[in-house]
Amino acid sequence: MLALLAPVTAFAGASGGMSARAVVEKFQAELIDVMKNGKTLGYAGRYDKLVNPVSESHDLVKIARVVVGKEWEKLTSEQQDKLVDVFSKLSVASYAHNFKEYGGESFVFESEEQTTRGGLVVHYLFKVPDEKSHKFDYWLKEKGDSWRIINIIADGVSDLALRRSEYTTILQREGFDALIAKINEKIDNYSKL
């Protein structure tokens, strides 16, 4: 599950959209709901139920750009679109695989802070009954009239940093088609586990 993101009060986006905290908490509520019905839904059902919540709360285009770094500019617009599409499917597949059953887990808000670049970090504990809690730090940036998740750091490990290291290496050594094949292989593996 962890293979996946000065205190200030939550404030709305420039045009009055949802606050950063509200975006995260709406996503978390939908994730917990999917977990509660996880066994009944099965992987395909969880995947289908998470497509909209993930796309509405995450800036998947920005995340895809960040994970390939400078290599993004070398891709054609068609390749960029394909990468965003496949990466979006991987993000949903990862949640559908990692959050498959419910055992009383809950997210508890801790704090939020503004970043030097105008973003926000919203800190939560993911409480698991009879186990150690996990720290989730959601990094968000404004996009349009709302906030979007651009990174999640779970127990100090950045999902974005892990993927960036892996993806840029594959792109540089093996090329674009190899990267797409590798991501599709991961999606396929999530559906089988």
Side-chain angles (χ1 to χ4, degrees):
M1 171 169 39
L2 298 179
L4 292 186
L5 80 303
V8 295
T9 45
F11 56 90
S15 301
M18 293 177 72
S19 69
R21 181 175 171 184
V23 168
V24 173
E25 290 182 352
K26 182 176 188 284
F27 173 66
Q28 290 172 338
E30 290 164 328
L31 197 57
I32 293 288
D33 184 57
V34 166
M35 289 170 67
K36 286 179 178 177
N37 297 293
K39 288 181 182 176
T40 306
L41 291 168
Y43 171 82
R46 292 191 305 272
Y47 183 99
D48 290 345
K49 286 214 170 266
L50 288 169
V51 170
N52 286 339
V54 171
S55 63
E56 292 168 1
S57 61
H58 293 62
D59 187 343
L60 295 165
V61 175
K62 184 172 188 67
I63 295 168
R65 285 184 72 144
V66 170
V67 296
V68 295
K70 294 176 190 171
E71 300 298 314
W72 178 265
E73 299 304 326
K74 298 175 187 174
L75 301 176
T76 66
S77 60
E78 292 80 16
Q79 288 175 320
Q80 290 172 351
D81 290 345
K82 185 169 187 173
L83 178 64
V84 170
D85 179 60
V86 173
F87 182 78
S88 298
K89 290 175 182 169
L90 174 66
S91 297
V92 176
S94 175
Y95 283 114
H97 169 73
N98 291 317
F99 292 87
K100 55 186 155 203
E101 51 189 36
Y102 183 72
E105 295 87 352
S106 62
F107 288 96
V108 178
F109 173 77
E110 285 199 306
S111 64
E112 76 177 39
E113 61 189 276
Q114 204 159 5
T115 68
T116 55
R117 294 184 172 181
L120 283 173
V121 183
V122 189
H123 305 282
Y124 287 84
L125 282 180
F126 182 64
K127 296 196 171 241
V128 181
D130 303 321
E131 289 183 30
K132 180 181 171 242
S133 295
H134 300 283
K135 186 171 172 51
F136 277 65
D137 302 317
Y138 294 84
W139 290 70
L140 296 97
K141 289 286 263 184
E142 274 188 293
K143 182 176 183 179
D145 67 348
S146 189
W147 292 87
R148 294 291 182 96
I149 298 165
I150 58 168
N151 191 15
I152 300 172
I153 299 175
D155 289 336
V157 178
S158 167
D159 185 49
L160 207 57
L162 289 174
R163 290 183 184 189
R164 182 172 183 154
S165 172
E166 178 186 2
Y167 292 3
T168 54
T169 300
I170 294 169
L171 260 179
Q172 291 167 349
R173 291 185 184 164
E174 301 173 49
F176 180 77
D177 291 338
L179 176 60
I180 296 301
K182 187 78 168 173
I183 295 172
N184 279 324
E185 182 182 322
K186 281 187 179 185
I187 294 168
D188 192 45
N189 287 339
Y190 280 142
S191 71
K192 294 174 181 171
L193 299 174

